[in-house]
Amino acid sequence: MLKASGAAAGAAAGIAAAGAPVPAAAAGTGSGAFAHPGLLHTRTDLDRMAAKVQAGAAPYTAGFARLTANRHAQSGWQARPQAVVYRGSGTPENYSLLYNDIHAAYQNALRYHVTGESAHADTAVAVLNAWSATLTAVDGSADRFLAAGLYGYQFANAAELVRDHGDFELDRFQEMLRRNFGAMSDDFLVRHNGAVVSNYWTNWDLANMACVLATGIFCDDRAQVARAVDYFEHGAGLGAIRNAVPVVYDDGLGEWLEAGRDQGHALLGVGLMGTFCEMAWNQGIDLYGYDDSRFLKGAQYVAKWSLGGQVPFTASTRRKGAVGGWSGSETVTAAAGVDPTMTRPVWAMIANHYTRRRGMPATYVTRIAAKASPEGGGGDYGPNSGGYDQLGFGTLAFTRDRASEGEATASPSLAASGAATASASTPGPGASPSATAKGDDLAATGSGDVVGWAAATGVAALAGGLLLLRRRGRREG
């Protein structure tokens, strides 16, 4: 029996970012700046990794061995920057050059923090500087928004690890990140490439949410961070928490919307939401616990399902198409099939937050994290772009001892410190022409993944334009 159905709160104009705490490090300075390093890894995290590896502690050593074995983590890596990066059919795709270089920068920077070997920091800086000196645009089909979102948040995380390096061109990199990634992702969350808001599956929103948040933190832009947090809590798109996890069941599992699509995209979505929550947490913003830890319920659902377990499913229909143009709908009626051997490096971060930081039970997440350990990173999960969607190395980076009570508590709110507020439906500053819709080029949101078409009968209209049908048929027993 259904316990609760998520009625998505709309991103109506004037909604302020709610409950966004500022980190103690920032609050104490009075400068209003964010804590740095403070995306996926804090100074405490980096010091812990180095100390644990130096002491030969498990499982950190196994996680570090995966890092040093990866070809991207070598100090001889040479960058291949491009003036324009393209992603999507019908374009001269070259985005693999970008994601390979980003992962090389991240892995070398992480390796530097563990070992102190300056050659790795120098390599990371050289890669990042080469791209900020060269890149002018991210372009392509609708997939250009995936490129902006995924590679924008990853770029920011790689750069955050070397932002204090003497040779790093910080100002130039910040400008490149804002112009070519943050502005496009901000625009996507407002306009969705000219499509109806539910046209794009959950992971499209989440990739761009992660980019907006990471760019905001990296560039010390409070208004941008507020927009990202507000979208997570109240956004109209499918990446907002109550749309990504629209139904919570009596057994504590929260149905992950993309489980009705396929396993790979569901794993991607869980990893991206975990990334979003972790970056927010490191600035004192507790989205992991938002709405009675709704994300945990969704992660538990995907973990159990991915392990081959039976999960409940409530059918749903979403609208597709262009605003004022073609339209249709797509219905999913059951959770897709799974391959229990499919692995992505998304679980260690989530398991350690809930069980170690918060002392909460997370049976299925813990089990699948153990199965995936030690987690690798880009280059360890196949040669295609899907193997580079997460930065990875969670066994090394996120394994932690059980937290004290103080470490598990969020900080005072951004509202108390005078943070700017913004509606998720308000365009972000500097949205570029390249971020707008290109004629009929909408989301080819996986046109080959269509489950089936259905008449949109009995569809409830939710705020912000999302049309989502939840068929609450009574379950036997």
Side-chain angles (χ1 to χ4, degrees):
M1 179 175 290
L2 295 177
K3 180 179 180 182
S5 178
I15 296 178
V22 68
T29 66
S31 65
F34 289 100
H36 298 292
L39 290 176
L40 283 174
H41 314 301
T42 66
R43 170 54 54 195
T44 299
D45 293 333
L46 296 168
D47 290 346
R48 180 186 65 248
M49 293 178 224
K52 294 288 190 180
V53 170
Q54 184 176 8
Y60 302 89
T61 51
F64 184 62
R66 292 216 69 179
L67 175 63
T68 58
N70 194 300
R71 69 185 183 90
H72 297 78
Q74 312 310 313
S75 60
W77 188 274
Q78 296 294 314
R80 294 171 291 175
Q82 306 293 305
V84 180
V85 166
Y86 296 92
R87 177 168 177 166
S89 59
T91 67
E93 289 190 306
N94 60 354
Y95 68 102
S96 66
L97 299 175
L98 174 60
Y99 66 67
N100 274 281
D101 276 359
I102 290 173
H103 283 258
Y106 172 77
Q107 291 179 28
N108 271 280
L110 194 62
R111 188 168 178 178
Y112 160 72
H113 280 286
V114 174
T115 66
E117 297 173 25
S118 60
H120 293 291
D122 294 345
T123 296
V125 168
V127 171
L128 297 169
N129 283 348
W131 278 94
S132 69
T134 306
L135 184 66
T136 62
V138 176
D139 209 339
S141 69
D143 284 3
R144 69 192 183 279
F145 291 105
L146 285 177
L150 291 169
Y151 310 135
Y153 95 77
Q154 292 177 1
F155 242 155
N157 271 277
E160 181 77 349
L161 294 178
V162 294
R163 67 181 295 135
D164 294 328
H165 191 287
D167 294 332
F168 180 51
E169 297 287 350
L170 175 62
D171 292 344
R172 190 176 73 195
F173 192 89
Q174 287 177 323
E175 174 57 26
M176 182 271 294
L177 193 64
R178 290 190 194 99
R179 180 185 67 245
N180 297 318
F181 298 92
M184 185 177 288
S185 288
D186 231 336
D187 187 89
F188 179 83
L189 296 178
V190 174
R191 299 183 179 89
H192 286 87
N193 195 30
V196 295
V197 72
S198 57
N199 185 74
Y200 290 87
W201 281 104
T202 299
N203 70 86
W204 287 72
D205 263 13
L206 286 170
N208 286 284
M209 289 161 62
C211 177
V212 171
L213 180 64
T215 302
I217 294 170
F218 186 80
C219 297
D220 291 310
D221 186 333
R222 284 185 172 275
Q224 186 164 329
V225 171
R227 288 196 300 276
V229 171
D230 182 59
Y231 198 94
F232 177 91
E233 297 177 347
H234 306 295
L238 299 186
I241 182 63
R242 292 187 185 93
N243 294 333
V245 185
V247 181
V248 173
Y249 295 93
D250 284 335
D251 60 3
L253 297 180
E255 183 175 314
W256 190 264
L257 184 67
E258 282 195 288
R261 183 185 182 190
D262 61 58
Q263 183 185 10
H265 286 99
L267 290 172
L268 169 59
V270 168
L272 288 170
M273 188 171 283
T275 294
F276 189 91
C277 290
E278 183 71 16
M279 293 189 297
W281 176 270
N282 285 335
Q283 297 299 332
I285 307 167
D286 184 12
L287 300 179
Y288 275 119
Y290 183 76
D291 196 14
D292 194 24
S293 299
R294 197 179 188 97
F295 173 49
L296 173 60
K297 296 167 185 176
Q300 285 273 86
Y301 181 100
V302 174
K304 181 179 181 181
W305 168 63
S306 292
L307 289 166
Q310 294 296 311
V311 292
F313 193 88
T314 303
S316 64
T317 296
R318 66 188 182 94
R319 279 190 57 203
K320 298 177 64 175
V323 174
W326 69 272
S327 64
S329 61
E330 180 178 356
T331 297
V332 289
T333 59
V338 298
D339 175 3
T341 67
M342 183 180 288
T343 304
R344 288 292 183 268
V346 303
W347 296 110
M349 176 172 58
I350 302 166
N352 276 278
H353 173 80
Y354 285 111
T355 65
R356 294 292 179 174
R357 277 192 184 132
R358 306 305 288 267
M360 299 170 65
T363 304
Y364 300 111
V365 168
T366 301
R367 187 182 306 168
I368 202 168
K371 183 179 178 182
S373 182
E375 290 180 354
D380 292 326
Y381 298 90
N384 299 322
S385 61
Y388 293 82
D389 286 342
Q390 279 84 33
L391 290 168
F393 300 105
T395 304
L396 168 66
F398 302 112
T399 301
R400 61 185 72 247
D401 298 325
R402 192 171 298 279
S404 67
E405 184 177 348
E407 292 170 325
T409 303
S411 308
S413 71
L414 274 174
S417 63
T421 59
S423 166
S425 60
T426 302
S432 64
S434 65
T436 58
K438 295 185 174 182
D440 293 331
D441 171 32
L442 288 181
T445 57
S447 57
D449 299 328
V450 172
V451 176
W453 297 98
T457 56
V459 180
L462 303 182
L466 172 62
L467 297 182
L468 187 64
L469 170 67
R470 305 304 307 181
R471 293 178 178 167
R472 301 178 182 86
R474 185 173 298 171
R475 294 168 55 215
E476 296 298 322

